[in-house]
Amino acid sequence: MCLAVPGRLEEWTDRDPLLARGWVVFGGVRHECHLACVPEAEVGDYVLVHAGIALNRIDIVAAEKLLRELRDAGEESPPSAEDEML
Amino acid sequence: MKYLDEFRHPGATESLLESIRRRVTKRWTIMEVCGGQTHGLLRYGIDEALADAVELIHGPGCPVCVTGAEVIDRAIELASIPNVLVTTFGDMLRVPGSRESLASARAAGALVRMVYSPLDAVALAEKHPELEVVFFAVGFETTAPATALAVLQAKRRGIENFSLLVAHVRVQPAMEAILCAPENRVQAFLAAGHVCTVVGCESYEDLCRRYEVPIVVTGFEPTDLATGIAACVEQLETSRHEVENRYDRVVQAEGNLRARQFVEDVFEACDRTWRGLGAMPLGGLRLRESWRDYDAERRFTAGALPQVVSSCRCRSGEVLSGRIKPPECAAFGGECRPEHPLGAPMVSGEGACAAYFQYHRPELRCEPRAVEGNA
Ligand code: SF4
């Protein structure tokens, strides 16, 4: 129940503070999600969606920093998110 | 999927686990609070890989498991009223109340439907003005913003045939109850990442200070979990206790202020009885007085339901507080299996008993043993 999934905001459909919605792409699949908790999100941003609503934006700088740390620590490298295709 | 798969990298996870094994000078006991994390740890074999270095004990973090049987009875009672449709998340449907589950009540004719989001329940109410749509609201701080938003949207759009049966629970009081218990063995916590996405990690500072316990906020993927355990071990080995954020790609110190505001507008903290764990002061959320028109219990039912005494064979209370691991329950894997569960931790997809049943290899299962005070 508590799992949430990252997706990329593709299009806003309603920017009302309470009814905010938009299309979010998850690994190629589009869903219309509620965006009232992330009014500052811009098209192209990654958001974490849970039970149909985006709980927060994903901080790409922080994500890449952790991936870099993991790469530096391990012999095998995890892939960079930067160049992965959707 | 981007920002998911990269955190499942086996090479990076293994080198983190190796560094933890090298770092420990004694075997530490760490509790993960969230059921999603329990599943991650078992699914990727992290508990086994660290067996000599760290004992991972599993906390109460599955809201489905801790929802009281009497609340489920109430949901069934509501669904049995003509024209009342009860909606809830899918994993709530199979959890037994005192006699039956919402799924079995539906098979017998009650109006019950699974929804993906409380906001879908509002849409259903709008589409079906002939029905009274009740959303059975379960979940930790993670799902509370969506429930709050559902009420705010229903009000704004003038949808009057929508109400809530609220069973939301709050994580921190449960963590505190575990730390206070005389049999507590928790030396550090992995805090539930998505709860912190909403409430922030600052909110743990007080608990961390008062109980001198390291609290590391982490995510759900194997490298996240290994990173979180490594951070706990580092604090324990250097006698520190701090709130540390290892999930900063989605968690900020203050959380999501807007999501918190939605919750604050609609709900207030209240005492709540947790299944298996008993009375939890301020362990739940209820509608504020100004929103009581949206309280399904007030609208449709009268009087409290009798308290349900749980099965004496199910040791879910001990499982949920980390006192025993599921295989130590005599019913585990025999009398109690996912297809005929005795208790909620075997029903829910995120329950610890279900996780052990699904992922633990039989040769690793402990022999069932009798324990005093089995109630
Ligand atoms: S194995 Fe079944 S009976 Fe035992 S504690 Fe878990 S849910 Fe209860």
Side-chain angles (χ1 to χ4, degrees):
Chain A
M1 159 177 295
C2 294
L3 292 181
V5 192
R8 194 173 63 93
L9 176 59
E10 199 178 63
E11 183 189 345
W12 278 92
T13 47
D14 188 341
R15 294 205 79 149
D16 176 280
L18 209 53
L19 309 174
R21 291 169 77 91
W23 289 97
V24 178
V25 182
F26 304 91
V29 183
R30 280 174 110 223
H31 284 284
E32 199 178 25
C33 297
H34 296 267
L35 300 170
C37 295
V38 290
E40 71 289 2
E42 314 246 355
V43 168
D45 280 353
Y46 279 81
V47 290
L48 188 74
V49 177
H50 171 71
I53 81 164
L55 288 181
N56 223 344
R57 281 196 303 176
I58 293 173
D59 180 340
I60 291 176
V61 175
E64 294 295 342
K65 181 167 166 279
L66 177 57
L67 287 171
R68 231 175 4 255
E69 267 177 48
L70 295 170
R71 269 196 297 276
D72 292 347
E75 282 173 27
E76 282 185 74
S77 317
S80 163
E82 272 155 10
D83 27 66
E84 191 185 300
M85 297 301 290
L86 273 175
Chain B
M1 207 180 298
K2 198 168 173 182
Y3 295 116
L4 199 62
D5 296 337
E6 308 94 323
F7 297 99
R8 291 180 177 165
H9 194 267
T13 310
E14 188 40 56
S15 54
L16 279 164
L17 298 180
E18 184 49 39
S19 69
I20 295 167
R21 287 190 288 261
R22 278 200 307 266
R23 183 70 179 97
V24 291
T25 55
K26 59 178 273 197
R27 191 167 180 252
W28 300 102
T29 302
I30 300 173
M31 174 180 272
E32 85 281 355
V33 180
C34 172
Q37 294 183 330
T38 307
H39 267 247
L41 291 167
L42 269 70
R43 178 171 179 197
Y44 294 100
I46 294 173
D47 60 326
E48 292 169 27
L50 290 179
D52 295 333
V54 174
E55 185 182 5
L56 292 165
I57 56 176
H58 318 301
C62 167
V64 171
C65 298
V66 302
T67 300
E70 48 279 343
V71 193
I72 297 168
D73 289 351
R74 181 65 96 198
I76 293 168
E77 185 192 346
L78 287 166
S80 309
I81 300 171
N83 296 331
V84 174
L85 169 69
V86 170
T87 57
T88 191
F89 297 123
D91 41 3
M92 206 58 233
L93 297 183
R94 286 181 54 235
V95 184
S98 65
R99 287 178 308 280
E100 57 177 340
S101 65
L102 279 162
S104 58
R106 178 174 59 184
L111 282 184
V112 177
R113 192 182 293 187
M114 185 199 116
V115 286
Y116 177 56
S117 158
L119 296 147
D120 296 344
V122 178
L124 264 176
E126 189 170 36
K127 200 165 153 207
H128 293 282
E130 75 284 6
L131 293 174
E132 282 286 347
V133 175
V134 175
F135 180 67
F136 180 16
V138 293
F140 287 114
E141 290 89 336
T142 331
T143 49
T147 313
L149 203 52
V151 177
L152 293 164
Q153 287 195 0
K155 166 115 175 155
R156 160 82 93 80
R157 290 156 64 188
I159 298 167
E160 289 178 355
N161 58 330
F162 175 77
S163 56
L164 296 177
L165 173 61
V166 182
H168 277 298
V169 277
R170 300 174 65 235
V171 167
Q172 269 201 43
M175 290 166 76
E176 180 149 14
I178 287 165
L179 291 171
C180 285
E183 64 275 13
N184 171 49
R185 297 194 297 128
V186 176
Q187 292 172 304
F189 276 117
L190 291 181
H194 296 150
V195 165
C196 298
T197 303
V198 175
V199 301
C201 42
E202 262 172 16
S203 63
Y204 288 95
E205 294 286 355
D206 181 52
L207 195 70
C208 171
R209 217 174 8 251
R210 279 191 292 123
Y211 292 90
E212 302 189 344
V213 63
I215 301 179
V216 177
V217 178
T218 185
F220 295 77
E221 304 313 323
T223 49
D224 286 317
L225 293 162
T227 307
I229 296 167
C232 285
V233 164
E234 192 54 37
Q235 287 201 40
L236 290 164
E237 289 285 346
T238 51
S239 304
R240 286 180 296 127
H241 53 274
E242 288 159 22
V243 176
E244 198 170 329
N245 184 3
R246 299 298 292 168
Y247 199 35
D248 59 354
R249 63 185 185 274
V250 284
V251 172
Q252 282 103 44
E254 70 285 4
N256 184 325
L257 293 172
R258 204 159 168 82
R260 284 173 62 181
Q261 190 61 54
F262 289 138
V263 175
E264 183 69 22
D265 287 347
V266 174
F267 294 118
E268 61 190 2
C270 66
D271 300 343
R272 166 115 340 125
T273 302
W274 287 37
R275 188 166 181 147
L277 296 176
M280 200 70 76
L282 301 180
L285 291 174
R286 68 175 173 211
L287 286 163
R288 289 185 182 280
E289 192 56 41
S290 50
W291 292 98
R292 289 296 170 87
D293 287 351
Y294 289 89
D295 182 344
E297 289 195 277
R298 281 206 185 177
R299 264 195 212 188
F300 305 110
T301 63
L305 287 164
Q307 288 287 313
V308 176
V309 182
S310 55
S311 158
C312 60
R313 298 190 306 287
C314 176
R315 299 176 62 187
S316 60
E318 292 163 274
V319 169
L320 294 169
S321 53
R323 277 150 59 198
I324 64 163
K325 295 206 174 149
E328 291 173 61
C329 168
F332 177 82
E335 198 185 355
C336 182
R337 304 165 68 87
E339 58 278 17
H340 49 85
L342 286 190
M346 189 60 97
V347 176
S348 161
E350 284 165 20
C353 299
Y356 271 76
F357 190 87
Q358 194 173 349
Y359 300 119
H360 247 227
R361 292 196 298 277
E363 67 270 22
L364 291 163
R365 290 181 190 163
C366 325
E367 280 304 307
R369 60 182 166 88
V371 173
E372 301 147 45
N374 180 8

